[in-house]
Amino acid sequence: MTTSEENYLKVIYHLSQVSPKGVNTNAIAGMLETKASSVTDMLKKLSDKDLVSYQKYQGVTLTENGFLSAKMIVRKHRLWEVFLVDKLQFSWDEVHEIAEELEHIQSIALIDKLDAFLGHPDFDPHGDPIPNRQGEIKKTSKLLLSEAELNQEYHCVGVKDSSSEFLKYLDKQKIALGSVFKVIEKESFDDTLTVEINAQEKIISNKIANNLYVQ
Amino acid sequence: MTTSEENYLKVIYHLSQVSPKGVNTNAIAGMLETKASSVTDMLKKLSDKDLVSYQKYQGVTLTENGFLSAKMIVRKHRLWEVFLVDKLQFSWDEVHEIAEELEHIQSIALIDKLDAFLGHPDFDPHGDPIPNRQGEIKKTSKLLLSEAELNQEYHCVGVKDSSSEFLKYLDKQKIALGSVFKVIEKESFDDTLTVEINAQEKIISNKIANNLYVQ
DNA sequence: AGATATTTTTAGTTTTGTCTAAATTTAAAT
DNA sequence: ATTTAAATTTAGACAAAACTAAAAATATCT
């Protein structure tokens, strides 16, 4: 499989989580910063290889094959992110782009050994689950901070938006995976939250609260 | 720089060590398992980018730029090999192909951090020197086992042939980097050596002795 | 339902890196 | 010094992955 094909598969995989009954050509083009016509070309190719099932004008879904392949790419991406953060001391906002390259390295033995070296992690540095070598994903019942109940203790288990910008903001606010949250008050006017984070009171906007997963 | 361009540069770099006054088109084609006509095309492109100096029919040499770029690719290759052997427990005969892919990952920060993580190694698992980030290479005065003097103690510092086949043979013979050698006898008829290796006497063919570096 | 807008596909080009086959240059050999 | 052989380059073609512009299908709106 080429790097380009892998990138398409991965994007279709991610978009499928939001629109499971068919991913739009334009949506794929948007994610890959390419043109719709290029996407159509590639969908035909992926369809010929039985990685997606595609009917003109009707959007695209992953086949069994494509689904597994996509999860293997995600597995590689997230394992490399763990390596970069845990072993090479990168911060969590720096690793995405490098992992985008590393995820296309082919060797299966490499990934198995990397997995073992890292201690078979279940989650990447942003709290996203790492599929195992069979493609199985550990499900957790996380919820958004904006949906949290008042005066209950939660801890941060992930971020929804993992853009460098957002992650740097969290660093500045000393919010990390594992941070302890308790929502003290919810301002009904603008949904701003008053939250006790690691025993410090902070005001959290709705936008932030909508991008933090807690448990 | 594309992966293909990098592969050409690297091959020209290696071939330059043997023919410093100009590398042949055919030699490059042989190393890359491609056709001479493809090489000619690429040499023009590399020449336009001032990475090689190239005159029709006269062979090719690296420019200052090309020389440095090539050394950076070699640096990446060899650092990844150290990682694979030291951290992921690959054996020295398994790492070349994987490193061929990893050497094309772009990030400079990644290589700097990897270098630090590995403890700034000077040599890769086959005893080849790792250029530092300035492209400087630590020179050592190694010699081939076939050139070693009788009854002098040496230790193994590298291999000339790093094919999987040869490396596996060395593993079987329990010869590794650091092994202690003393040539007991040299058979003048076929240049076979009797060598004491790690306090064990062994017969070493001329072909083997011509591919082992000692010091 | 019909008109308009949006999305998607087709058709035809471009670029990169490769190839084959033919032409040219250099090297070797009688 | 020719002739022959080997190495190299040119010319033209192809596949992959992208693009533009135009055509076709679907969705939306009054």
Side-chain angles (χ1 to χ4, degrees):
Chain A
M1 200 156 19
T2 67
T3 295
S4 188
E5 287 171 344
E6 290 192 339
N7 283 331
Y8 274 91
L9 272 194
K10 193 182 47 164
V11 160
I12 295 167
Y13 170 79
H14 287 309
L15 291 173
S16 292
Q17 318 229 318
V18 198
S19 30
K21 43 186 48 179
V23 176
N24 293 335
T25 301
N26 260 355
I28 298 169
M31 294 285 280
L32 288 169
E33 297 180 52
T34 183
K35 296 293 150 89
S37 54
S38 308
V39 175
T40 302
D41 289 345
M42 183 57 91
L43 292 185
K44 283 179 192 161
K45 208 207 303 188
L46 293 176
S47 183
D48 289 345
K49 292 192 174 187
D50 191 36
L51 292 165
V52 302
S53 76
Y54 163 64
Q55 277 159 272
K56 277 194 196 179
Y57 297 103
Q58 300 311 133
V60 70
T61 56
L62 293 171
T63 62
E64 196 83 14
N65 272 343
F67 190 49
L68 187 60
S69 299
K71 284 188 290 189
M72 287 305 111
I73 300 161
V74 169
R75 169 171 163 80
K76 289 194 276 179
H77 182 102
R78 292 181 179 164
L79 281 172
W80 281 117
E81 285 198 343
V82 173
F83 170 70
L84 294 171
V85 168
D86 285 8
K87 303 296 183 181
L88 297 197
Q89 321 292 336
F90 278 97
S91 59
W92 65 348
D93 60 292
E94 299 173 316
V95 296
H96 183 75
E97 286 181 33
I98 301 174
E100 288 282 295
E101 288 190 66
L102 286 165
E103 73 190 2
H104 300 295
I105 304 291
Q106 292 301 329
S107 166
I108 292 169
L110 171 61
I111 295 306
D112 286 345
K113 295 220 183 207
L114 181 65
D115 188 31
F117 178 59
L118 299 172
H120 304 287
D122 288 323
F123 299 95
D124 80 6
H126 311 110
D128 296 315
I130 299 173
N132 70 15
R133 58 179 305 176
Q134 279 76 43
E136 297 153 354
I137 296 175
K138 216 160 244 176
K139 284 259 167 55
T140 56
S141 54
K142 63 195 177 187
L143 64 166
L144 291 170
L145 178 58
S146 53
E147 303 160 341
E149 285 176 41
L150 282 181
N151 294 313
Q152 262 219 250
E153 269 211 354
Y154 296 93
H155 57 275
C156 179
V157 296
V159 294
K160 190 171 161 194
D161 169 11
S162 56
S163 71
S164 173
E165 223 181 353
F166 181 54
L167 297 174
K168 275 181 180 154
Y169 168 83
L170 295 179
D171 283 345
K172 205 166 67 184
Q173 294 295 324
K174 304 249 191 303
I175 297 171
L177 294 196
S179 293
V180 179
F181 287 78
K182 192 201 270 177
V183 179
I184 307 288
E185 205 190 331
K186 189 166 200 165
E187 177 59 59
S188 62
F189 175 65
D190 62 354
D191 290 330
T192 293
L193 305 179
T194 307
V195 188
E196 195 183 287
I197 303 170
N198 298 327
Q200 278 224 322
E201 257 189 39
K202 280 185 174 145
I203 306 291
I204 295 289
S205 77
N206 180 247
K207 184 170 176 188
I208 303 294
N210 261 321
N211 282 295
L212 273 176
Y213 287 119
V214 296
Q215 201 175 38
Chain B
M1 198 155 23
T2 66
T3 295
S4 188
E5 286 172 347
E6 290 192 340
N7 283 333
Y8 274 91
L9 272 194
K10 194 182 47 163
V11 160
I12 295 167
Y13 171 80
H14 287 308
L15 291 173
S16 291
Q17 317 229 319
V18 198
S19 30
K21 43 185 51 178
V23 176
N24 293 336
T25 301
N26 259 356
I28 299 169
M31 293 286 278
L32 288 170
E33 297 181 50
T34 183
K35 294 294 150 89
S37 55
S38 308
V39 175
T40 302
D41 288 345
M42 183 58 91
L43 292 184
K44 283 179 190 161
K45 206 207 306 188
L46 293 176
S47 183
D48 289 346
K49 292 193 174 186
D50 191 36
L51 292 165
V52 303
S53 76
Y54 164 66
Q55 277 159 273
K56 276 194 200 179
Y57 298 103
Q58 299 313 131
V60 70
T61 56
L62 293 171
T63 62
E64 197 83 14
N65 273 343
F67 190 49
L68 188 59
S69 298
K71 282 188 291 190
M72 287 304 112
I73 300 162
V74 169
R75 168 171 164 78
K76 289 194 276 178
H77 182 103
R78 292 180 180 166
L79 282 173
W80 280 117
E81 286 198 342
V82 173
F83 169 71
L84 294 171
V85 169
D86 285 8
K87 303 295 182 180
L88 297 197
Q89 321 293 335
F90 278 97
S91 58
W92 65 348
D93 60 293
E94 299 173 317
V95 296
H96 183 75
E97 286 180 34
I98 301 175
E100 287 283 295
E101 288 190 66
L102 286 165
E103 74 190 2
H104 300 294
I105 304 291
Q106 292 301 330
S107 166
I108 291 169
L110 171 62
I111 294 307
D112 286 345
K113 296 220 182 208
L114 181 65
D115 188 30
F117 178 59
L118 299 172
H120 304 287
D122 289 323
F123 300 96
D124 80 6
H126 313 109
D128 295 315
I130 299 173
N132 69 15
R133 58 181 304 178
Q134 279 76 43
E136 297 154 353
I137 296 175
K138 217 159 244 177
K139 284 262 168 54
T140 56
S141 55
K142 62 196 178 186
L143 66 166
L144 291 170
L145 177 59
S146 54
E147 303 160 343
E149 285 177 41
L150 283 180
N151 296 312
Q152 261 221 251
E153 269 211 355
Y154 297 93
H155 57 276
C156 180
V157 296
V159 294
K160 189 171 164 194
D161 169 10
S162 56
S163 70
S164 173
E165 222 181 353
F166 182 53
L167 298 174
K168 275 181 180 151
Y169 169 84
L170 295 179
D171 283 345
K172 205 166 66 184
Q173 294 294 323
K174 303 245 190 306
I175 297 171
L177 293 196
S179 293
V180 179
F181 286 80
K182 192 200 269 177
V183 179
I184 307 289
E185 205 189 330
K186 190 165 199 166
E187 178 59 58
S188 61
F189 175 64
D190 61 356
D191 290 328
T192 293
L193 303 180
T194 306
V195 188
E196 194 183 288
I197 302 171
N198 297 328
Q200 279 223 322
E201 258 190 39
K202 280 184 175 145
I203 306 292
I204 295 289
S205 77
N206 180 247
K207 183 169 176 188
I208 303 294
N210 261 321
N211 282 294
L212 272 176
Y213 287 118
V214 296
Q215 201 175 38

